[in-house]
Coordinates of all heavy atoms in Angstrom, one line a residue:
F1 N -30.6 12.0 -21.9 CA -31.3 13.3 -22.0 C -30.3 14.4 -21.9 O -30.4 15.4 -22.7 CB -32.4 13.4 -20.9 CG -33.0 14.8 -20.8 CD1 -34.0 15.1 -21.7 CD2 -32.5 15.7 -19.8 CE1 -34.5 16.4 -21.6 CE2 -33.1 16.9 -19.7 CZ -34.1 17.3 -20.6
T2 N -29.4 14.3 -21.0 CA -28.4 15.4 -20.8 C -27.6 15.6 -22.1 O -27.5 16.8 -22.5 CB -27.5 15.1 -19.6 OG1 -28.3 14.8 -18.5 CG2 -26.5 16.2 -19.4
A3 N -27.1 14.5 -22.7 CA -26.3 14.7 -23.8 C -27.0 15.0 -25.1 O -26.5 15.8 -25.9 CB -25.5 13.3 -24.1
N4 N -28.2 14.5 -25.3 CA -28.9 14.7 -26.5 C -30.0 15.8 -26.5 O -30.4 16.2 -27.6 CB -29.6 13.4 -26.9 CG -28.6 12.3 -27.2 OD1 -27.5 12.5 -27.6 ND2 -29.0 11.0 -27.0
A5 N -30.4 16.3 -25.3 CA -31.4 17.3 -25.3 C -31.0 18.5 -24.5 O -31.1 19.6 -25.0 CB -32.7 16.7 -24.7
F6 N -30.6 18.3 -23.2 CA -30.3 19.5 -22.4 C -29.1 20.3 -22.8 O -29.3 21.5 -23.0 CB -30.2 19.0 -20.9 CG -30.0 20.2 -20.0 CD1 -31.0 21.1 -19.8 CD2 -28.8 20.4 -19.3 CE1 -30.9 22.2 -18.9 CE2 -28.7 21.4 -18.4 CZ -29.7 22.3 -18.2
I7 N -28.0 19.7 -23.0 CA -26.8 20.4 -23.4 C -27.0 21.1 -24.8 O -26.7 22.3 -24.9 CB -25.5 19.5 -23.3 CG1 -25.2 19.2 -21.9 CG2 -24.4 20.2 -24.0 CD1 -24.1 18.2 -21.7
P8 N -27.5 20.4 -25.8 CA -27.8 21.1 -27.1 C -28.8 22.3 -26.9 O -28.6 23.3 -27.5 CB -28.4 20.0 -27.9 CG -27.8 18.7 -27.4 CD -27.8 18.9 -25.9
W9 N -29.8 22.1 -26.0 CA -30.7 23.2 -25.8 C -30.0 24.4 -25.2 O -30.2 25.6 -25.6 CB -31.9 22.8 -24.9 CG -32.8 23.9 -24.6 CD1 -33.8 24.4 -25.4 CD2 -32.8 24.7 -23.4 NE1 -34.4 25.5 -24.8 CE2 -33.8 25.7 -23.6 CE3 -32.0 24.7 -22.3 CZ2 -34.0 26.6 -22.6 CZ3 -32.3 25.6 -21.3 CH2 -33.3 26.6 -21.5
V10 N -29.2 24.2 -24.2 CA -28.4 25.2 -23.6 C -27.6 26.0 -24.6 O -27.5 27.2 -24.7 CB -27.5 24.7 -22.4 CG1 -26.5 25.7 -21.9 CG2 -28.4 24.3 -21.3
N11 N -26.9 25.2 -25.5 CA -26.1 25.8 -26.5 C -26.9 26.6 -27.5 O -26.5 27.7 -27.9 CB -25.2 24.7 -27.2 CG -24.2 24.2 -26.2 OD1 -23.7 24.8 -25.3 ND2 -23.8 22.9 -26.4
E12 N -28.0 26.0 -28.0 CA -28.8 26.7 -29.0 C -29.5 27.9 -28.4 O -29.7 28.9 -29.2 CB -29.9 25.7 -29.5 CG -29.3 24.6 -30.4 CD -30.3 23.5 -30.7 OE1 -31.6 23.7 -30.4 OE2 -29.9 22.5 -31.2
A13 N -29.8 27.9 -27.2 CA -30.4 29.1 -26.5 C -29.4 30.2 -26.3 O -29.8 31.3 -25.8 CB -31.1 28.7 -25.2
N14 N -28.1 30.0 -26.5 CA -27.0 30.9 -26.3 C -27.1 31.5 -24.9 O -26.9 32.7 -24.7 CB -27.1 32.1 -27.3 CG -26.8 31.6 -28.7 OD1 -25.8 30.8 -28.9 ND2 -27.5 32.0 -29.7
L15 N -27.3 30.6 -23.9 CA -27.3 31.1 -22.5 C -25.9 31.4 -22.0 O -24.9 30.8 -22.4 CB -27.9 30.0 -21.6 CG -29.3 29.6 -21.9 CD1 -29.8 28.4 -21.0 CD2 -30.3 30.7 -21.8
E16 N -25.9 32.5 -21.2 CA -24.6 32.9 -20.6 C -24.1 31.8 -19.7 O -24.9 31.3 -18.9 CB -24.7 34.2 -19.9 CG -23.4 34.7 -19.4 CD -23.6 36.1 -18.7 OE1 -24.6 36.8 -19.0 OE2 -22.7 36.4 -17.9
K17 N -22.9 31.4 -19.8 CA -22.3 30.3 -19.0 C -21.5 30.9 -17.9 O -20.9 32.0 -18.0 CB -21.5 29.4 -19.8 CG -22.4 28.8 -20.9 CD -22.0 27.4 -21.3 CE -22.9 26.9 -22.3 NZ -22.3 26.4 -23.5
P18 N -21.4 30.3 -16.7 CA -22.0 29.0 -16.4 C -23.5 29.0 -16.2 O -24.0 30.0 -15.8 CB -21.3 28.6 -15.2 CG -20.9 29.9 -14.5 CD -20.7 30.8 -15.6
V19 N -24.1 27.9 -16.5 CA -25.6 27.7 -16.3 C -25.7 26.8 -15.1 O -24.9 25.9 -14.9 CB -26.2 27.0 -17.5 CG1 -27.6 26.6 -17.2 CG2 -26.1 27.9 -18.7
I20 N -26.6 27.1 -14.2 CA -26.9 26.3 -13.0 C -28.1 25.4 -13.3 O -29.2 25.9 -13.6 CB -27.1 27.1 -11.8 CG1 -25.8 27.9 -11.5 CG2 -27.4 26.2 -10.6 CD1 -26.0 28.9 -10.3
A21 N -28.0 24.1 -13.1 CA -29.1 23.2 -13.3 C -29.4 22.6 -11.9 O -28.5 22.0 -11.3 CB -28.7 22.1 -14.3
F22 N -30.6 22.8 -11.5 CA -31.1 22.3 -10.2 C -31.7 20.9 -10.4 O -32.6 20.7 -11.2 CB -32.1 23.2 -9.6 CG -31.6 24.5 -9.2 CD1 -31.6 25.6 -10.0 CD2 -31.0 24.7 -7.9 CE1 -31.1 26.8 -9.7 CE2 -30.5 25.9 -7.5 CZ -30.5 27.0 -8.4
L23 N -31.1 19.9 -9.7 CA -31.6 18.5 -9.8 C -32.2 18.1 -8.4 O -31.7 18.6 -7.4 CB -30.5 17.6 -10.2 CG -29.8 17.9 -11.5 CD1 -28.6 17.0 -11.7 CD2 -30.8 17.8 -12.7
D24 N -33.1 17.2 -8.4 CA -33.8 16.8 -7.2 C -33.0 15.9 -6.3 O -33.4 15.4 -5.3 CB -35.2 16.3 -7.4 CG -35.2 15.0 -8.1 OD1 -34.1 14.4 -8.4 OD2 -36.3 14.5 -8.4
G25 N -31.8 15.5 -6.7 CA -30.9 14.7 -5.8 C -31.2 13.2 -5.9 O -30.6 12.5 -5.2
H26 N -32.1 12.8 -6.7 CA -32.4 11.4 -6.9 C -31.2 10.7 -7.5 O -30.5 11.3 -8.4 CB -33.6 11.1 -7.7 CG -34.1 9.7 -7.6 ND1 -33.6 8.7 -8.5 CD2 -35.0 9.1 -6.8 CE1 -34.2 7.6 -8.2 NE2 -35.1 7.8 -7.2
K27 N -30.8 9.5 -7.0 CA -29.6 8.9 -7.5 C -29.6 8.6 -9.0 O -28.5 8.5 -9.6 CB -29.3 7.6 -6.7 CG -30.4 6.5 -6.9 CD -30.0 5.3 -6.1 CE -31.1 4.2 -6.4 NZ -30.8 3.0 -5.6
T28 N -30.7 8.5 -9.6 CA -30.8 8.2 -11.1 C -30.4 9.5 -11.9 O -30.2 9.4 -13.1 CB -32.1 7.7 -11.5 OG1 -33.1 8.6 -11.2 CG2 -32.4 6.4 -10.8
H29 N -30.4 10.6 -11.2 CA -30.2 11.9 -12.0 C -28.7 12.2 -11.9 O -28.3 13.2 -12.5 CB -31.0 13.0 -11.4 CG -32.5 12.8 -11.5 ND1 -33.4 13.4 -10.7 CD2 -33.2 12.1 -12.4 CE1 -34.6 13.0 -11.1 NE2 -34.5 12.2 -12.1
M30 N -27.9 11.5 -11.2 CA -26.5 11.8 -11.0 C -25.6 10.6 -11.3 O -25.9 9.5 -11.0 CB -26.2 12.3 -9.6 CG -26.3 13.7 -9.4 SD -25.4 14.8 -10.5 CE -23.7 14.3 -10.3
S31 N -24.6 10.9 -12.1 CA -23.5 9.9 -12.4 C -22.3 10.7 -12.7 O -22.3 11.9 -13.0 CB -24.0 9.0 -13.5 OG -23.9 9.7 -14.7
L32 N -21.2 10.0 -12.7 CA -19.9 10.6 -13.1 C -20.0 11.1 -14.5 O -19.5 12.2 -14.9 CB -18.7 9.7 -12.9 CG -17.4 10.2 -13.2 CD1 -17.0 11.5 -12.4 CD2 -16.3 9.2 -13.0
Q33 N -20.6 10.3 -15.4 CA -20.7 10.7 -16.8 C -21.5 12.0 -17.0 O -21.1 12.9 -17.7 CB -21.3 9.5 -17.6 CG -21.3 9.8 -19.1 CD -21.9 8.6 -19.9 OE1 -22.4 7.7 -19.3 NE2 -21.6 8.6 -21.2
V34 N -22.7 12.1 -16.3 CA -23.5 13.3 -16.4 C -22.7 14.5 -15.8 O -22.7 15.6 -16.4 CB -24.8 13.1 -15.6 CG1 -25.5 14.5 -15.5 CG2 -25.7 12.2 -16.3
S35 N -22.0 14.3 -14.7 CA -21.3 15.4 -14.1 C -20.2 15.8 -15.0 O -19.9 17.0 -15.2 CB -20.7 14.9 -12.8 OG -19.9 15.9 -12.2
T36 N -19.5 14.9 -15.7 CA -18.4 15.3 -16.6 C -19.0 16.0 -17.8 O -18.4 17.0 -18.3 CB -17.6 14.0 -17.0 OG1 -17.1 13.4 -15.9 CG2 -16.5 14.3 -18.0
L37 N -20.1 15.5 -18.4 CA -20.7 16.2 -19.6 C -21.1 17.6 -19.2 O -20.8 18.5 -20.0 CB -21.9 15.4 -20.0 CG -21.8 14.1 -20.8 CD1 -23.1 13.4 -20.9 CD2 -21.2 14.4 -22.2

């Protein structure tokens, strides 16, 4: 989702960076790969 939907949406919306994404802290929402992306 992060690679194919969220990051492209942020880029297409031309949001000023940095963008802050709030996550609920569940372990399935965090990984080194997501953090790096």
Side-chain angles (χ1 to χ4, degrees):
F1 172 79
T2 303
N4 296 332
F6 183 65
I7 292 174
W9 176 81
V10 167
N11 292 333
E12 289 170 11
N14 293 318
L15 298 177
E16 184 177 339
K17 300 212 177 126
V19 171
I20 299 175
F22 292 92
L23 302 174
D24 66 4
H26 192 272
K27 65 181 180 179
T28 61
H29 297 155
M30 271 307 300
S31 70
L32 180 58
Q33 187 176 12
V34 169
S35 181
T36 302
L37 284 170

